[in-house]
Amino acid sequence: MVQLFKGFSSKRKPETLQEIERDKVPKHIAVIMDGNGRWARRRGLPRIAGHHAGMKTVKKITMAADELGVEILTLYAFSTENWKRPKDEVDYLMKLPQEFLSLELKELVEKNVRVRMTGWKEGLPDHTLSAVEEAERATSGNTGLILNFALNYGSRKEMIEGMQLMYKDIAAGRLDPDSITENVYDSYLKTSGLPDPDLMIRTSGELRISNFMLWQLAYTELWFTSLYWPEFSKEDFHQAIREYQQRIRRYGGL
Ligand code: FPP
């Protein structure tokens, strides 16, 4: 029971004196940025105000990840299921990449950050797609932190599509079924080319994965906090990394 809740931080803790071990910083951190709506409701604000505040946290955590030398930061910005939300909210969420990039792209370029998107570009409104593609183009030569937006992304759809693509290659004689390994399957997924996350953070107190990187999270360390995403700070991010550094990763071995 105690073990079950290890890593669940219910309250913000003050920054501890314990240093982050620079040589054990997770290479790939994935985040389910949850709780924008509840953060806003608690303040008597519309839900979209929560998403706007969440966008500010995206900036803070991107900079914190960059400072620590994290290689990849994957942020779950919009799921394939989020289209079910009221149109006004979907429209607002689809404007955020554009707003974020118009404010931050210059600094991201200067900081050598590379912007990437994981998800289906088909189905995104033109203005969202052009903002993302412009950022991908402008940062394509950068070699620092990869800021990977999971946008219009859902893991089950990704895995089914991956299988369909493999079957097509098998049918066309391009792939021998006996040669399929984990790495081969990886190459058919939206996250192709990225290592699996080392650490997954979810804010807002929900203890689920919500169709996020189900295959890729097989051996990822999970860290949950009840803080809502707009109030999640650099210090909280550091705390998650410190706790990650205390974990022993056995990958099924001893
Ligand atoms: C979940 O919280 C959050 C989302 C569905 C959207 C996340 C988006 C952002 C944090 C901004 C993204 C910024 C950029 C730059 C793309 P929720 O709305 O489900 O919150 P609730 O569970 O409290 O209702």
Side-chain angles (χ1 to χ4, degrees):
M1 215 43 194
V2 171
Q3 187 67 17
L4 245 183
F5 287 95
K6 208 174 161 197
F8 185 98
S9 304
S10 56
K11 281 198 222 95
R12 166 171 290 131
K13 296 182 186 136
E15 179 91 85
T16 67
L17 292 174
Q18 189 192 337
E19 287 290 327
I20 289 176
E21 294 173 63
R22 293 301 178 125
D23 56 343
K24 276 173 63 185
V25 168
K27 280 189 171 38
H28 184 176
I29 302 181
V31 187
I32 302 181
M33 310 183 285
D34 197 11
N36 295 342
R38 279 164 284 171
W39 178 90
R41 193 176 59 212
R42 200 193 254 175
R43 284 160 181 75
L45 298 169
R47 291 178 57 79
I48 60 169
H51 295 312
H52 196 263
M55 184 185 77
K56 303 280 177 201
T57 306
V58 167
K59 166 79 187 295
K60 267 188 276 180
I61 300 306
T62 301
M63 293 308 153
D66 182 51
E67 269 168 30
L68 286 176
V70 171
E71 292 179 19
I72 304 141
L73 179 67
T74 295
L75 302 176
Y76 204 4
F78 193 89
S79 75
T80 42
E81 289 71 37
N82 287 151
W83 296 107
K84 289 187 267 187
R85 294 191 176 201
K87 185 177 181 305
D88 284 359
E89 184 169 342
V90 169
D91 288 349
Y92 189 77
L93 284 168
M94 284 296 145
K95 282 189 193 137
L96 283 183
Q98 200 179 354
E99 180 172 350
F100 175 77
L101 292 164
S102 70
L103 292 169
E104 311 299 349
L105 185 56
K106 189 166 173 282
E107 190 174 342
L108 294 174
V109 171
E110 283 163 12
K111 289 216 142 73
N112 198 24
V113 173
R114 179 165 185 182
V115 176
R116 169 179 168 151
M117 177 188 146
T118 290
W120 285 269
K121 289 188 167 172
E122 310 83 53
L124 291 179
D126 288 346
H127 61 88
T128 313
L129 184 59
S130 56
V132 170
E133 288 192 330
E134 189 205 329
E136 285 178 328
R137 254 194 316 276
T139 61
S140 63
N142 288 358
T143 54
L145 172 72
I146 296 176
L147 175 58
N148 180 34
F149 287 106
L151 193 61
N152 196 19
Y153 172 82
S155 187
R156 288 187 170 184
K157 182 173 170 178
E158 174 193 40
M159 287 196 279
I160 288 173
E161 186 189 83
M163 284 185 253
Q164 289 169 332
L165 294 169
M166 276 200 315
Y167 292 144
K168 282 182 190 156
D169 278 353
I170 291 168
R174 288 188 293 264
L175 179 67
D176 171 4
D178 291 330
S179 72
I180 298 171
T181 58
E182 291 185 10
N183 286 341
V184 170
Y185 183 53
D186 270 338
S187 71
Y188 284 89
L189 298 178
K190 289 282 179 200
T191 48
S192 174
L194 296 177
D196 291 341
D198 301 294
L199 170 65
M200 195 284 288
I201 296 172
R202 180 171 190 152
T203 58
S204 94
E206 308 296 348
L207 302 177
R208 20 170 212 273
I209 303 297
S210 300
N211 202 18
F212 184 50
M213 302 181 102
L214 301 177
W215 164 268
Q216 297 87 341
L217 292 178
Y219 282 101
T220 301
E221 296 296 326
L222 309 179
W223 190 87
F224 298 95
T225 173
S226 59
L227 293 166
Y228 296 141
W229 177 250
E231 63 195 356
F232 186 73
S233 68
K234 175 175 164 175
E235 289 71 31
D236 300 316
F237 185 64
H238 288 175
Q239 185 61 26
I241 293 172
R242 273 194 212 94
E243 290 185 25
Y244 163 86
Q245 294 185 332
Q246 302 306 311
R247 308 254 185 111
I248 298 162
R249 302 184 75 186
R250 284 191 283 266
Y251 301 94
L254 291 179

